[in-house]
Amino acid sequence: MEVLPAVVAWAAASACRFSLVSESSLGQRFCRSAAAIQVQELARRLSPAAHVLLPHDKGFEDASRRWNIIDEPRPGVVVIPGVASDVAETVKYANAHNTSFLAVGGQHGATSTLGKLQGGIEIALGSLNSVEVSEDGQTAKVGGGTLSKTVIDALWAAGKQTVTGTCECTSLLGPGLGGGHGWLQGHHGLIADQFLSMDVVLADGSARTVDAASDPDLWWALRGAGHNFAIVTSVTLKVFDIQHRDWARETMIFTGDKIEQVYQTMHDSIFKGGQQDIDVVVWSYMLSIPEIDAANPVVIVYLLQEGVTAVDAKHSAALKKLGPVSVEDTPGTYVDLAAWTMISMDDIPCQKLGVNNLRFPLYLDTYNVGAMRKAYNMFADALRATPEFAHSILLFENYPVQGLRKPASKDSAFAFRGDSILVAPLINFPPGNKDLDGKAVVLGEGLRATLHEASGRDTMHTYVNYAYRDSSEEMYGAEAWRQQKLARLKAKYDPHGRFNFYNPVVEL
């Protein structure tokens, strides 16, 4: 066990007696935590391979920072588990000392509620990083902090695949506990649909293995609202033989005057009223590329097709007739998809650059081209008026829905299997300016309100893993039975709201 020597810990605690230290931003975080957390006592509970870090320790900053720094959780202590049982021991210690705790995977959460952790203990699960394929090749056991890229690469080497998050630097379980979309969901459904059993630590610190037979209600909640109910130290999930190694990307860039034509054409020729072909994924971005248009955002369309070396003309021909300013064809494999869509480990979304990244998600079942024009104009106006937003994007994710809709909606806490489109505005801007913070929220909320109003729905459907100040009904479904079941299970498994830092199903 690595821990501060007693004399250093004593000196740090002594410094908190001075107002100059205790009233500083670092002191407010560390001194408040130091009062509640006896580091050596915590360390004695943990395995020799575990690490306990304080704010001035090497590694603390990297372990406790995330890619989005607005509303960022700022723990006073970081525990890096050496073995899975360290998680349970940390939770038991925190409960005994009335100390908050938060489990963290890929540090890619953007949701605002995480910022409620100020002080307390972060449990950094990245050390629980493993992928073990079963002897029969039908399942794999994945450690609770394993990144999507690690899972993809390990399975690929074994001739296997499963549904993971699209972004390489998220953990598997971070998005998976909220449902989790992925490139292969047309075949197999959500990330959560692959789960067979989980090793979890509950709010009281007890550890158990759960599955559909042992704990059917908890199992239901873990797949869609899982962050509210447990820390998952490992998951056993379904894996599949690789059916197609080849994938192809066709990239088209359009100027903003073609917004209506682009989305109407994709609606008619690709999405086909929710009948998108199972082997085709479409992502589109509205973003600024000054070299193409210095005054307005452009639209990038990525057509991604499985099992081919060039995208079939039946998917691309109608778009090409609209006159894109650029067309690029790229052959490759499944492992190229993240880099092709700018979300690989080397791309900006996977870097901690000390900037604000606010997301305002919305599910839709179809495109309203009039609303798309309004949203584009709003986005373009904001980028022109506020240069600090220049690196923001308006992303639309279209995955095949066949696998998504195979399970019944009532079978898990994920409520939105009937939707086809995930809208994901990402407002990127520098920190330290409250006026910019406010403008970013107005823009993000305005974009999704424009699209939501055109949908005709009373309540927004929002993706919990991208959520920003959204209500429980918006994130987990507005049906009365869903809300009642979630509230009942929360009262049973987490009556004191220990897991309420991630988009709580019930505010306690």
Side-chain angles (χ1 to χ4, degrees):
M1 161 55 56
E2 294 188 6
V3 66
L4 279 177
V7 66
V8 179
W10 170 83
S14 297
C16 293
R17 300 173 186 172
F18 297 94
S19 61
L20 183 64
V21 174
S22 63
E23 293 175 7
S24 69
S25 59
L26 178 63
Q28 288 177 7
R29 177 157 52 92
F30 172 67
C31 296
R32 180 168 60 233
S33 303
I37 302 170
Q38 300 298 317
V39 176
Q40 289 187 323
E41 180 187 346
L42 171 58
R44 283 193 294 269
R45 290 174 172 255
L46 306 180
S47 71
H51 299 259
V52 178
L53 304 178
L54 293 178
H56 57 278
D57 284 337
K58 181 180 179 180
F60 179 92
E61 193 71 5
D62 184 62
S64 62
R65 300 307 297 262
R66 63 177 182 169
W67 76 300
N68 170 40
I69 68 169
I70 197 168
D71 292 326
E72 186 177 34
R74 299 303 286 153
V77 172
V78 172
V79 171
I80 301 176
V83 293
S85 60
D86 290 331
V87 177
E89 289 302 319
T90 302
V91 171
K92 291 174 184 176
Y93 171 89
N95 288 338
H97 292 80
N98 195 29
T99 299
S100 300
F101 60 87
L102 174 68
V104 173
Q107 299 171 305
H108 211 265
T111 189
S112 58
T113 58
L114 291 170
K116 294 180 180 179
L117 183 83
Q118 297 295 316
I121 302 172
E122 174 192 311
I123 306 172
L125 296 174
S127 56
L128 303 181
N129 179 31
S130 60
V131 181
E132 301 173 13
V133 179
S134 64
E135 289 188 9
D136 65 7
Q138 302 301 303
T139 66
K141 187 172 185 177
V142 177
T146 309
L147 297 186
S148 292
K149 177 175 173 53
T150 303
V151 176
I152 291 168
D153 289 350
L155 293 182
W156 188 261
K160 301 291 181 179
Q161 290 179 303
T162 193
V163 184
T164 69
T166 54
C167 182
E168 289 184 338
C169 56
T170 64
S171 66
L172 174 79
L173 279 159
L177 292 173
H181 298 286
W183 306 120
L184 298 176
Q185 80 168 38
H187 295 290
H188 307 301
L190 299 167
I191 298 173
D193 295 333
Q194 315 317 310
F195 296 164
L196 297 171
S197 68
M198 301 184 205
D199 295 322
V200 304
V201 175
L202 299 179
D204 62 2
S206 61
R208 69 167 80 168
T209 299
V210 300
D211 58 25
S214 66
D215 301 87
D217 280 348
L218 180 57
W219 186 249
W220 178 90
L222 286 169
R223 294 170 302 121
H227 310 87
N228 270 261
F229 291 93
I231 300 171
V232 182
T233 57
S234 69
V235 59
T236 298
L237 72 166
K238 294 179 281 188
V239 299
F240 309 93
D241 292 336
I242 296 172
Q243 296 299 311
H244 301 285
R245 290 183 174 270
D246 290 331
W247 279 71
R249 178 189 68 172
E250 189 154 358
T251 306
M252 301 184 203
I253 302 178
F254 298 89
T255 50
D257 58 303
K258 292 186 167 66
I259 288 292
E260 291 92 343
Q261 299 97 308
V262 168
Y263 284 94
Q264 187 64 55
T265 298
M266 289 196 293
H267 176 274
D268 295 340
S269 65
I270 300 174
F271 307 140
K272 298 180 293 188
Q275 298 303 311
Q276 183 172 332
D277 287 356
I278 199 169
D279 61 346
V280 175
V281 176
V282 183
W283 274 29
S284 59
Y285 289 99
M286 298 179 188
L287 78 172
S288 176
I289 304 180
E291 295 83 0
I292 296 176
D293 189 332
N296 300 289
V298 299
V299 180
I300 300 179
V301 176
Y302 292 122
L303 302 181
L304 307 168
Q305 188 172 2
E306 180 186 20
V308 297
T309 56
V311 172
D312 195 306
K314 71 178 181 179
H315 304 302
S316 61
L319 283 170
K320 287 181 177 177
K321 289 180 181 179
L322 300 179
V325 297
S326 173
V327 178
E328 178 184 330
D329 299 309
T330 311
T333 71
Y334 177 80
V335 297
D336 295 315
L337 292 174
W340 283 352
T341 50
M342 301 187 291
I343 50 173
S344 75
M345 293 294 290
D346 296 327
D347 287 307
I348 288 176
C350 285
Q351 313 308 314
K352 299 177 187 177
L353 300 177
V355 296
N356 296 323
N357 291 294
L358 294 184
R359 311 195 83 155
F360 299 87
L362 179 69
Y363 283 116
L364 297 171
D365 58 4
T366 190
Y367 286 110
N368 179 300
V369 295
M372 295 294 286
R373 165 57 63 188
K374 290 179 182 178
Y376 172 87
N377 289 345
M378 182 184 298
F379 187 58
D381 289 346
L383 267 57
R384 286 190 293 267
T386 310
E388 293 89 345
F389 293 163
H391 299 297
S392 300
I393 62 173
L394 183 47
L395 168 63
F396 300 86
E397 304 177 20
N398 284 89
Y399 305 97
V401 297
Q402 292 89 334
L404 174 69
R405 292 179 181 164
K406 281 180 183 177
S409 179
K410 64 180 178 60
D411 287 349
S412 74
F414 182 82
F416 304 126
R417 292 185 183 273
D419 292 328
S420 304
I421 304 160
L422 175 55
V423 185
L426 173 63
I427 313 303
N428 171 282
F429 57 102
N433 185 322
K434 292 295 184 183
D435 182 55
L436 276 182
D437 296 353
K439 287 182 179 179
V441 172
V442 169
L443 173 58
E445 293 289 13
L447 289 169
R448 69 170 171 179
T450 297
L451 297 169
H452 169 64
E453 288 166 8
S455 75
R457 290 173 170 164
D458 293 330
T459 303
M460 286 195 300
H461 296 179
T462 68
Y463 184 36
V464 63
N465 293 323
Y466 294 170
Y468 182 78
R469 300 179 183 174
D470 300 332
S471 70
S472 179
E473 290 81 4
E474 290 167 338
M475 295 183 291
Y476 301 111
E479 302 99 320
W481 72 267
R482 281 190 181 276
Q483 290 296 311
Q484 291 164 4
K485 185 171 184 175
L486 286 167
R488 174 173 58 81
L489 295 176
K490 187 71 170 177
K492 177 178 179 179
Y493 290 103
D494 186 21
H496 304 296
R498 306 296 276 158
F499 295 128
N500 266 24
F501 290 109
Y502 197 101
N503 294 324
V505 296
V506 178
E507 290 283 1
L508 298 176

